[in-house]
Amino acid sequence: MSSVRRPDHHRPDHRADLRHVLTHLITPLLMCIGMGLAYLGAFAHPEPHHLPVAVVGSGSQTQVLAQSMNDKAHGGLDVRTVGSRAEAVDQLKHQDIFGAYVVDTHASGAAPSATAAKGGGAAGGGAKPAPELLVATAGSDTTASVVQKVFTPVAAQQGVPLKVTDVAPPAEDDPTAQGLFFLMVAVSIGSYASVAVIGGAGAVLPIRMRAMLAVGTSFVVSILGTLFAGPVFHLVDHGLWGLWSMAWLYSAGILLIGTGLHTFLKRWTTLGVMALFVMLNFTSAGGVFRPELQNGFFASLHAFWNGAGFVEGVRSHVYFDGNGLAGHVWTLVLWLVVGFLMVGVAALAEARRRRAAENAAANATAVAAAAVAATVPERRPAHAATSANSESAAAVEEEMEEAVGV
């Protein structure tokens, strides 16, 4: 005997809930796409693009070497000549160049190398001097490695080993010189993650109070970053006050921009701040690869993005005697100004929305009052009441349309 299965009328319908979940999955999927495009686009295939280096020496040999390297690099290198080793060191500390190949260490004023002191190998019994490569690892360890790979074959062709001298080494506890980049990552996450809390949980607060919370939070985040850089991990051994001030400028800019954006983006704010301060920011900061090793898009962002301003500003302050520091600080200040402007625009937008909501509420109250009044007999001509109600309804409808338009 077969039984007929009756439909279960009490089974819940989850289609609306499923659509809700699928809609919210759009955000992490867009993050995945954005992070993949940004990180792989910036870091997957680093190669030099007009990387400025120098050949130190005088005479035709130096000129010929520089020209031949330029010809073989096909735009990858920008090889120039420098007259003396001291001048090359000065340009390295100003980050005008990122490597300097000293052809003749004796003529350039460098101390004789251990290789040169051994004797033999050159005609007439004299030792052939070992060429010297000057780098500044504190500016970028990866760039210094690329420069070393470029000049090692040049020294090999001369039949002598290459002596490498680091004229600006990083702190002892930050041998790769990338600690400042990861410090920026920590400060960035503390800043843009706080935006979600201030914009979400603090949505009921006036925009003025949210802006004050953003500024206060930036002080806390910057202090934490300074503690990480100094007492905790010893990434820097001096200049902590300068580092803290740049960390505050950087964090406050992110928090104020994010707080202002939340007024317009709402639940999409997280995606927006991640695009600005992770996808485009981390990849153009110069912490892993300098812009000379990246494609044109990320190299151009390095010139004015806030992460690059922070990383290069701290490098300049700590390792390069403040050379170029003013420009990097101005970059951070301009981003902070953008943050204040964004909060101001958000305040104006919220004021307009508030007025529109108040007008809509007043209109709805007027309509309800008119409906109640219409049910009460009045001692006036019917046509007058009808005319008045029609005019009132028309006015309410017009004001409602204006409110919706706003």
Side-chain angles (χ1 to χ4, degrees), residues 12 16 29 81 88 94 122 154 162 171 201 225 300 322 326 333 358 369 376:
L29 292 177
T81 58
H94 281 79
V154 177
L162 180 64
S300 62
V333 170
E358 291 171 353
V376 179

Side-chain angles (χ1 to χ4, degrees), residues 149-358:
K149 289 180 180 179
V150 167
F151 284 102
T152 297
V154 177
Q157 290 178 357
Q158 299 178 4
V160 290
L162 180 64
K163 175 188 176 183
V164 179
T165 302
D166 193 349
V167 301
E172 184 179 352
D173 291 320
D174 183 24
T176 64
Q178 295 183 5
L180 296 179
F181 169 74
F182 293 109
L183 173 65
M184 182 207 70
V185 172
V187 173
S188 302
I189 292 175
S191 301
Y192 78 73
S194 299
V195 168
V197 177
I198 295 173
V204 296
L205 299 175
I207 185 68
R208 182 181 65 258
M209 293 187 67
R210 278 178 277 152
M212 293 173 62
L213 281 173
V215 173
T217 304
S218 67
F219 273 104
V220 177
V221 171
S222 61
I223 290 172
L224 291 174
T226 305
L227 291 175
F228 288 147
V232 179
F233 293 105
H234 307 287
L235 301 178
V236 299
D237 53 11
H238 65 281
L240 283 179
W241 281 109
L243 184 147
W244 169 79
S245 62
M246 284 183 273
W248 178 77
L249 287 171
Y250 176 72
S251 177
I254 293 176
L255 275 154
L256 289 172
I257 290 173
T259 300
L261 283 177
H262 189 272
T263 298
F264 306 98
L265 299 182
K266 301 299 181 184
R267 72 181 184 89
W268 299 102
T269 303
T270 299
L271 180 61
V273 295
M274 282 197 69
L276 288 173
F277 304 120
V278 176
M279 298 175 192
L280 299 179
N281 189 26
F282 293 176
T283 51
S284 63
V288 179
F289 297 113
R290 285 193 55 83
E292 294 82 8
L293 300 182
Q294 295 183 297
N295 59 47
F297 175 72
F298 293 101
S300 62
L301 291 183
H302 183 86
F304 62 92
W305 219 254
N306 60 340
F310 175 74
V311 171
E312 298 293 355
V314 175
R315 282 174 174 169
S316 174
H317 172 61
V318 175
Y319 296 120
F320 295 99
D321 301 324
N323 293 313
L325 177 60
H328 302 309
V329 171
W330 274 112
T331 297
L332 297 175
V333 170
L334 289 176
W335 278 83
L336 180 62
V337 171
V338 171
F340 280 114
L341 291 175
M342 183 62 68
V343 170
V345 172
L348 294 175
E350 290 185 9
R352 290 187 65 183
R353 293 176 186 175
R354 186 167 54 253
R355 288 194 297 268
E358 291 171 353

Side-chain angles (χ1 to χ4, degrees), residues 14-29 267-268:
H14 293 294
R15 286 178 293 181
D17 296 331
L18 181 60
R19 283 196 299 271
H20 180 74
V21 173
L22 291 176
T23 300
H24 281 74
L25 279 174
I26 294 175
T27 299
L29 292 177
R267 72 181 184 89
W268 299 102

Side-chain angles (χ1 to χ4, degrees), residues 377-399:
E378 296 185 6
R379 294 180 180 179
R380 62 177 176 175
H383 67 85
T386 303
S387 176
N389 289 336
S390 298
E391 291 176 1
S392 177
V396 169
E397 183 178 357
E398 182 179 355
E399 291 184 12

